[in-house]
Amino acid sequence: MIETERFIRTGRILVVDDQPDICTVCRVALRKEGYRVETAFDAEQALELLETEAFDLLLTDISLPGIGGLELGRLAQERQPILDVVIMTGSPSYDLLQDALQQGVADYLPKPFNIDQLRLTITRTLQRQQLRRENERLLTLTHVIEAGRAFTTSLDPLTVASALVQAVQRETATGCVHVDLGERGIVPGPGTHLPCGLTDDRERADACVVRLELQAHGKVVGQLVLAATNDQQAVARPSEVVSLLMEHAALALNNAEVYEALIDLDQQKSEFIALASHELRTPLSVVLGYGGMLKGKLDGKQGYYVQEITRAALRINDLVDDLIHLDRMQRDEFLLDSQMCDLHMILETLHGEMLPLAEARGVALQFRGPTEHMEVPADPVWFLYALAHLISNGIRFTPKGGRVVVSAGVSSSNGDAVLFVVDDTGIGIAPKEVHRIFRRFYQVADSRTREEGGLGIGLALARGIIGMHGGDLMVKSITGRGSRFVVSLPLNAPPA
Ligand code: ADP
């Protein structure tokens, strides 16, 4: 509103009337209001002024000597399309006004008029003009927002470039727009045929082709090329909106590049892991093989050394296995063999497997299951692997004297799922770390984690395996108090 007021007060008005008194009255009264006012006594004089100065409003008498007021209004709007025309008339008939409004006249002022009527008509017209301009600006912004949405939702450089050319083509009168992405090639606008008006003739090219750099963080990520088509003589300089679109697109193109580099890095990491883990297997089998042959043949200190070497080699073997499983999972080569499994058998097996670790750590381990017989659809090897990892984490991250409780039962809120809950009274996980622990190779950086070793992939694997069962793995934790990992396994999931 403040903007509107300011614009109206600084509006530029051209008053045309062959009666000098009317011109003088309008000039004095409107200048007093803060407007910039010029006057002319006939259309010719007015048209001369319109050639050199920009106006927001033409206030003209309808009957002028020579070119009349309505024709002057038309000619004025031809030269300055945003200008509004208000006519003054001493004999306002319905037909005349109807005709005037149809010709694009914004308002009229019946003669004789007083200063208040003059002021009111001018303010009303300029207010409407301001609203119209605001509307047009908002419409332009809608295009920017639409294009911006395409920029932010895509990480593909070609999609971003294509959204930019479309938006720029809509915004400019330039018939031919394309984005030059260097090695990635050229993205032309819709209906544009390369070479898009480009010419070898330097002189013509200077006027007809504008190359604008798309820069993000000081780096050139492409070029927006505006080229005149054959029937155009030159290309208009980019508007503020086009500059804004370019800025956004440049950032999106930069993000796309960064994303691609990350994908590439991730790919390289996966390839390295796959290669390294497979290469480690052969020497490990040799160590374990010879360790096995020496077992029982040596006693005393030497027997103990061999036992420790074998134990360490088995640990490395487990880590390598985990790496290989993760790699298979990423390649979608991880297959499940789901079948109906006895829930009590699952709990008993886990109890048997985990008890030695719990005892060695001085952590109490409890299992609670339903009293009735129950079967769940799961891969007996991999589902147990995932649960065992959660329980092993619970034990490893719980100090001596603590407790880990594993409970299983049908979900009370969702009867179609079985919940496996692993509660521990351990060190807990800080809120800022909770969402990160499921990432591959992520370990919370504290001394206990370093003591425990590991590669930080167990939870990523566990979540992947549970996901492949159609289930979910969630965690709640309070630092220093303990953690709760909840696995929900749907009872009616189709076998994987
Ligand atoms: P790893 O494969 O090395 O055992 P995980 O992927 O299982 O690693 O776990 C990632 C990290 O999450 C661990 O390094 C640990 O910091 C944290 N974490 C997992 N389970 C628990 C738990 N029950 N209590 C506290 N921290 C845990």
Side-chain angles (χ1 to χ4, degrees):
M1 200 61 202
I2 293 167
E3 264 298 303
T4 312
E5 282 294 310
R6 195 173 59 76
F7 165 75
I8 290 166
R9 295 290 168 221
T10 55
R12 293 148 302 182
I13 300 169
L14 175 58
V15 181
V16 189
D17 201 305
D18 56 338
Q19 292 175 31
D21 288 347
I22 298 279
C23 283
T24 309
V25 168
C26 290
R27 186 174 53 229
V28 173
L30 293 174
R31 278 191 180 163
K32 224 166 139 189
E33 290 295 308
Y35 298 114
R36 280 173 42 209
V37 186
E38 295 295 336
T39 50
F41 300 125
D42 56 33
E44 282 75 14
Q45 213 181 343
L47 288 171
E48 262 172 46
L49 280 167
L50 284 161
E51 287 303 329
T52 52
E53 255 187 81
F55 291 95
D56 301 301
L57 193 144
L58 169 72
L59 174 64
T60 177
D61 190 45
I62 199 158
S63 39
L64 295 171
I67 300 171
L70 284 181
E71 177 61 4
L72 172 63
R74 196 186 60 77
L75 292 170
Q77 281 179 326
E78 236 176 53
R79 286 161 177 75
Q80 299 187 20
I82 54 165
L83 163 148
D84 272 319
V85 179
V86 175
I87 51 164
M88 298 177 277
T89 169
S91 48
S93 72
Y94 175 81
D95 285 347
L96 179 89
L97 293 176
Q98 185 75 3
D99 197 30
L101 291 175
Q102 265 171 10
Q103 288 190 42
V105 165
D107 214 334
Y108 74 97
L109 199 55
K111 280 181 177 173
F113 52 81
N114 61 34
I115 301 297
D116 281 343
Q117 284 168 323
L118 170 71
R119 201 183 308 145
L120 193 76
T121 309
I122 297 298
T123 310
R124 194 169 53 207
T125 307
L126 286 177
Q127 246 167 3
R128 277 202 301 256
Q129 185 183 103
Q130 179 65 2
L131 282 176
R132 208 173 58 229
R133 285 191 193 184
E134 196 60 21
N135 236 354
E136 278 161 13
R137 206 176 65 85
L138 285 176
L139 220 75
T140 314
L141 282 181
T142 315
H143 294 156
V144 177
I145 291 166
E146 260 173 36
R149 203 169 293 141
F151 298 157
T152 45
T153 52
S154 176
L155 282 168
D156 170 34
L158 299 182
T159 310
V160 172
S162 160
L164 176 65
V165 283
Q166 282 183 40
V168 172
Q169 218 164 33
R170 218 171 17 214
E171 286 311 314
T172 59
T174 311
C176 189
V177 179
H178 63 255
V179 169
D180 188 344
L181 289 178
E183 282 175 8
R184 281 178 212 283
I186 289 174
V187 179
T192 304
H193 300 290
L194 293 176
C196 197
L198 296 178
T199 165
D200 289 337
D201 172 0
R202 276 297 308 162
E203 254 173 57
R204 183 174 143 72
D206 282 346
C208 298
V209 181
V210 178
R211 282 184 170 268
L212 303 161
E213 282 184 345
L214 296 166
Q215 282 199 26
H217 308 299
K219 193 175 105 195
V220 179
V221 288
Q223 281 187 336
L224 175 70
V225 185
L226 308 176
T229 44
N230 290 337
D231 52 346
Q232 289 174 319
Q233 286 310 305
V235 179
R237 296 305 299 177
S239 65
E240 218 177 302
V241 171
V242 171
S243 305
L244 201 68
L245 284 165
M246 285 172 61
E247 249 173 63
H248 286 210
L251 282 174
L253 284 170
N254 189 54
N255 286 348
E257 264 185 30
V258 172
Y259 179 72
E260 263 187 9
L262 281 177
I263 297 274
D264 200 36
L265 212 67
D266 207 51
Q267 176 71 21
Q268 283 180 30
K269 195 168 81 180
S270 294
E271 280 167 14
F272 170 76
I273 290 168
L275 191 74
S277 45
H278 284 99
E279 286 306 309
L280 279 172
R281 270 214 155 149
T282 315
L284 263 177
S285 326
V286 175
V287 174
L288 287 170
Y290 283 128
M293 280 162 63
L294 288 173
K295 200 174 159 195
K297 290 197 175 128
L298 299 171
D299 49 18
K301 263 190 180 175
Q302 286 171 335
Y304 172 74
Y305 293 154
V306 169
Q307 185 190 317
E308 284 306 295
I309 288 170
T310 309
R311 214 160 63 89
L314 280 171
R315 172 85 187 115
I316 299 174
N317 201 43
D318 284 349
L319 291 176
V320 170
D321 274 352
D322 278 356
L323 283 173
I324 290 172
H325 300 325
L326 193 70
D327 179 50
R328 286 203 184 127
M329 192 173 271
Q330 277 184 275
R331 291 167 192 265
D332 284 334
E333 288 170 8
F334 194 98
L335 298 177
L336 292 184
D337 178 18
S338 279
Q339 47 194 269
M340 293 315 282
C341 303
D342 183 341
L343 183 63
H344 289 278
M345 281 294 287
I346 292 179
L347 296 180
E348 262 170 44
T349 312
L350 287 170
H351 187 253
E353 272 181 21
M354 290 294 131
L355 197 58
L357 178 66
E359 284 177 348
R361 299 291 183 113
V363 173
L365 180 62
Q366 293 172 5
F367 277 74
R368 294 174 190 155
T371 42
E372 70 277 13
H373 172 79
M374 245 193 104
E375 290 199 328
V376 291
D379 179 311
V381 175
W382 290 113
F383 192 64
L384 253 79
Y385 171 96
L387 290 178
H389 188 77
L390 299 179
I391 301 168
S392 140
N393 272 355
I395 298 169
R396 291 190 303 133
F397 293 104
T398 296
K400 198 171 174 181
R403 195 176 64 241
V404 172
V405 179
V406 183
S407 6
V410 176
S411 159
S412 53
S413 59
N414 171 10
D416 292 339
V418 175
L419 296 187
F420 293 84
V421 183
V422 181
D423 278 310
D424 68 54
T425 57
I427 59 170
I429 304 157
K432 68 174 173 31
E433 303 282 4
V434 167
H435 66 284
R436 298 181 181 150
I437 59 172
F438 295 102
R439 289 185 197 159
R440 291 175 298 142
F441 305 107
Y442 191 82
Q443 291 185 307
V444 178
D446 64 13
S447 53
R448 181 144 197 133
T449 304
R450 274 196 295 279
E451 268 169 40
E452 291 302 332
L455 291 174
I457 55 175
L459 284 180
L461 262 176
R463 184 175 254 187
I465 290 166
I466 293 162
M468 286 175 76
H469 280 82
D472 234 335
L473 170 59
M474 283 164 296
V475 61
K476 276 190 183 152
S477 189
I478 301 175
T479 321
R481 298 268 298 274
S483 308
R484 164 173 284 190
F485 284 82
V486 181
V487 175
S488 81
L489 178 70
L491 281 172
N492 50 10

Coordinates of all heavy atoms in Angstrom, one line a residue, residues 315 322 389-390 393-398 424 426-429 437-439 442-446 449 453-460 477 482-483 485, ligand 1:
R315 N 37.4 -63.0 13.0 CA 36.7 -61.7 13.2 C 36.8 -60.9 11.9 O 35.9 -60.3 11.4 CB 37.4 -61.0 14.3 CG 37.0 -59.5 14.5 CD 35.8 -59.4 15.4 NE 35.4 -58.0 15.4 CZ 34.2 -57.6 14.8 NH1 33.4 -58.4 14.3 NH2 33.9 -56.3 14.9
D322 N 30.4 -59.3 6.0 CA 29.5 -58.2 6.1 C 29.6 -57.2 4.9 O 28.6 -56.7 4.4 CB 29.7 -57.4 7.4 CG 29.0 -58.1 8.6 OD1 28.3 -59.1 8.3 OD2 29.1 -57.6 9.7
H389 N 22.3 -59.0 15.5 CA 23.1 -57.8 15.5 C 22.6 -56.8 16.4 O 23.4 -56.1 17.2 CB 23.2 -57.2 14.1 CG 24.2 -56.1 14.0 ND1 25.6 -56.3 14.0 CD2 24.1 -54.8 14.1 CE1 26.2 -55.2 14.1 NE2 25.3 -54.2 14.1
L390 N 21.3 -56.6 16.5 CA 20.7 -55.6 17.4 C 20.9 -56.0 18.9 O 21.3 -55.2 19.7 CB 19.2 -55.5 17.2 CG 18.7 -55.1 15.8 CD1 17.2 -55.0 15.7 CD2 19.3 -53.7 15.5
N393 N 24.6 -55.5 19.6 CA 24.9 -54.1 19.9 C 24.4 -53.7 21.3 O 25.1 -53.0 22.0 CB 24.1 -53.2 18.9 CG 24.9 -53.0 17.6 OD1 26.1 -53.4 17.5 ND2 24.3 -52.3 16.6
G394 N 23.2 -54.2 21.7 CA 22.7 -53.9 23.0 C 23.6 -54.3 24.1 O 23.9 -53.6 25.0
I395 N 24.2 -55.5 23.9 CA 25.1 -56.0 24.9 C 26.4 -55.2 24.9 O 26.9 -54.8 25.9 CB 25.4 -57.5 24.7 CG1 24.1 -58.4 24.8 CG2 26.5 -58.1 25.6 CD1 24.2 -59.8 24.3
R396 N 26.9 -55.0 23.7 CA 28.2 -54.3 23.6 C 28.2 -52.9 24.1 O 29.2 -52.4 24.6 CB 28.7 -54.3 22.1 CG 29.1 -55.7 21.6 CD 29.8 -55.7 20.3 NE 28.9 -55.1 19.3 CZ 29.4 -54.2 18.4 NH1 30.7 -53.8 18.5 NH2 28.6 -53.7 17.5
F397 N 27.1 -52.2 23.9 CA 27.0 -50.8 24.4 C 26.3 -50.7 25.7 O 25.8 -49.6 26.0 CB 26.3 -50.0 23.3 CG 27.1 -49.9 22.0 CD1 26.8 -50.6 20.9 CD2 28.3 -49.1 22.0 CE1 27.6 -50.6 19.8 CE2 29.0 -49.0 20.9 CZ 28.7 -49.8 19.7
T398 N 26.3 -51.8 26.5 CA 25.7 -51.7 27.8 C 26.9 -52.0 28.8 O 27.5 -53.1 28.7 CB 24.6 -52.7 28.0 OG1 23.5 -52.2 27.1 CG2 24.0 -52.7 29.4
D424 N 17.9 -52.0 26.0 CA 19.1 -52.1 26.8 C 19.2 -50.9 27.8 O 18.5 -49.9 27.6 CB 20.4 -52.2 25.9 CG 20.7 -50.9 25.2 OD1 20.8 -49.9 25.8 OD2 20.8 -51.0 23.9
G426 N 22.0 -49.4 28.3 CA 23.3 -49.0 28.0 C 23.6 -47.5 27.9 O 22.8 -46.6 28.5
I427 N 24.6 -47.1 27.1 CA 25.1 -45.7 27.0 C 24.1 -44.8 26.3 O 24.2 -43.6 26.4 CB 26.5 -45.6 26.4 CG1 26.4 -46.2 25.0 CG2 27.5 -46.4 27.3 CD1 27.7 -46.0 24.2
G428 N 23.2 -45.4 25.5 CA 22.3 -44.6 24.7 C 22.9 -43.9 23.5 O 24.2 -44.0 23.3
I429 N 22.1 -43.2 22.8 CA 22.6 -42.5 21.5 C 22.1 -41.1 21.6 O 21.0 -40.8 21.8 CB 22.1 -43.2 20.3 CG1 22.4 -44.7 20.3 CG2 22.6 -42.6 19.0 CD1 21.6 -45.6 19.4
I437 N 22.8 -43.4 12.6 CA 23.4 -44.7 12.9 C 23.1 -45.8 11.8 O 23.7 -46.8 11.8 CB 23.1 -45.2 14.3 CG1 21.6 -45.3 14.5 CG2 23.7 -44.3 15.3 CD1 21.2 -45.9 15.8
F438 N 22.1 -45.5 11.0 CA 21.7 -46.5 10.0 C 22.4 -46.3 8.7 O 22.3 -47.1 7.8 CB 20.2 -46.5 9.8 CG 19.4 -46.8 11.0 CD1 18.8 -45.9 11.7 CD2 19.3 -48.2 11.3 CE1 18.0 -46.2 12.9 CE2 18.5 -48.5 12.5 CZ 17.9 -47.6 13.2
R439 N 23.2 -45.2 8.7 CA 24.0 -45.0 7.4 C 25.2 -46.0 7.4 O 25.7 -46.4 8.4 CB 24.6 -43.6 7.4 CG 23.6 -42.5 7.3 CD 24.4 -41.2 7.2 NE 23.5 -40.1 7.4 CZ 23.9 -38.9 7.8 NH1 25.1 -38.7 8.0 NH2 23.0 -38.0 7.9
Y442 N 28.8 -45.7 9.4 CA 28.7 -44.6 10.4 C 28.8 -45.2 11.8 O 28.2 -46.2 12.1 CB 27.4 -43.9 10.3 CG 27.4 -42.6 11.1 CD1 28.0 -41.5 10.6 CD2 26.9 -42.6 12.4 CE1 28.0 -40.3 11.4 CE2 27.0 -41.5 13.2 CZ 27.6 -40.4 12.7 OH 27.7 -39.2 13.5
Q443 N 29.7 -44.6 12.6 CA 29.8 -45.0 14.0 C 29.8 -43.7 14.8 O 30.4 -42.7 14.4 CB 31.1 -45.7 14.2 CG 31.1 -47.1 13.5 CD 32.4 -47.9 13.9 OE1 33.5 -47.4 13.7 NE2 32.2 -49.1 14.4
V444 N 29.1 -43.8 15.9 CA 29.1 -42.6 16.8 C 30.6 -42.5 17.4 O 31.2 -43.4 17.8 CB 28.1 -42.8 18.0 CG1 28.2 -41.6 18.9 CG2 26.7 -43.0 17.4
A445 N 31.1 -41.2 17.3 CA 32.5 -41.0 17.6 C 32.6 -40.9 19.2 O 32.6 -39.8 19.7 CB 33.0 -39.8 17.0
D446 N 32.6 -42.0 19.9 CA 32.9 -42.0 21.3 C 33.9 -43.1 21.6 O 34.1 -44.0 20.8 CB 31.7 -42.0 22.2 CG 30.9 -43.3 22.1 OD1 31.5 -44.2 21.5 OD2 29.8 -43.3 22.6
T449 N 32.7 -46.8 21.3 CA 32.6 -47.3 19.9 C 34.0 -47.8 19.4 O 34.1 -48.8 18.8 CB 32.0 -46.2 19.0 OG1 30.8 -45.8 19.5 CG2 31.8 -46.7 17.6
G453 N 35.2 -51.6 18.2 CA 35.6 -51.9 16.8 C 34.4 -51.9 15.9 O 33.4 -51.2 16.1
G454 N 34.4 -52.7 14.8 CA 33.3 -52.7 13.8 C 33.5 -51.7 12.7 O 34.4 -50.9 12.8
L455 N 32.7 -51.9 11.7 CA 32.8 -51.0 10.5 C 31.7 -50.0 10.4 O 31.6 -49.2 9.5 CB 32.9 -51.8 9.2 CG 34.2 -52.7 9.0 CD1 34.0 -53.6 7.8 CD2 35.4 -51.8 8.9
G456 N 30.7 -50.2 11.3 CA 29.5 -49.3 11.2 C 28.6 -49.7 10.1 O 28.0 -48.8 9.5
I457 N 28.6 -50.9 9.8 CA 27.6 -51.3 8.7 C 26.5 -52.3 9.2 O 25.6 -52.6 8.4 CB 28.4 -52.0 7.5 CG1 29.2 -53.2 7.9 CG2 29.2 -50.9 6.8 CD1 29.9 -53.9 6.8
G458 N 26.7 -52.8 10.4 CA 25.7 -53.8 10.9 C 24.3 -53.2 10.9 O 23.4 -54.0 10.5
L459 N 24.1 -52.0 11.3 CA 22.7 -51.5 11.4 C 22.2 -51.2 10.0 O 21.0 -51.4 9.7 CB 22.6 -50.2 12.2 CG 22.6 -50.4 13.7 CD1 22.6 -49.0 14.4 CD2 21.5 -51.3 14.2
A460 N 23.1 -50.8 9.1 CA 22.6 -50.6 7.7 C 22.2 -51.9 7.1 O 21.1 -52.0 6.4 CB 23.8 -50.0 6.9
S477 N 16.1 -43.6 21.9 CA 17.2 -43.7 22.8 C 17.3 -42.5 23.7 O 17.0 -41.4 23.3 CB 18.5 -43.9 22.0 OG 19.6 -44.2 22.8
G482 N 19.8 -45.6 28.0 CA 19.6 -46.9 27.2 C 18.9 -46.6 25.9 O 18.5 -45.5 25.5
S483 N 18.8 -47.7 25.1 CA 18.1 -47.6 23.8 C 17.1 -48.7 23.6 O 17.1 -49.7 24.3 CB 19.2 -47.8 22.7 OG 20.3 -47.0 22.9
F485 N 15.4 -50.7 20.3 CA 15.3 -50.9 18.8 C 14.1 -51.8 18.6 O 13.9 -52.8 19.3 CB 16.6 -51.6 18.3 CG 17.8 -50.7 18.2 CD1 18.6 -50.4 19.3 CD2 18.1 -50.2 17.0 CE1 19.6 -49.6 19.2 CE2 19.2 -49.3 16.8 CZ 19.9 -49.0 17.9
Ligands
ADP1 P1 28.9 -51.9 13.7 O1 28.6 -52.6 12.4 O2 30.3 -51.3 13.7 O3 28.6 -52.7 14.9 P2 26.4 -50.5 13.7 O4 26.0 -50.1 12.3 O5 25.8 -51.7 14.3 O6 28.0 -50.6 13.7 O7 26.1 -49.3 14.7 C1 26.5 -48.0 14.4 C2 26.7 -47.2 15.6 O8 25.5 -47.0 16.3 C3 27.6 -47.9 16.6 O9 29.0 -47.5 16.3 C4 27.2 -47.2 17.9 O10 27.9 -46.0 18.1 C5 25.7 -47.0 17.7 N1 24.9 -48.0 18.3 C6 24.3 -49.0 17.8 N2 23.5 -49.7 18.6 C7 23.6 -49.1 19.8 C8 23.1 -49.3 21.1 N3 22.3 -50.3 21.4 N4 23.5 -48.4 22.1 C9 24.3 -47.4 21.8 N5 24.8 -47.1 20.6 C10 24.5 -48.0 19.6

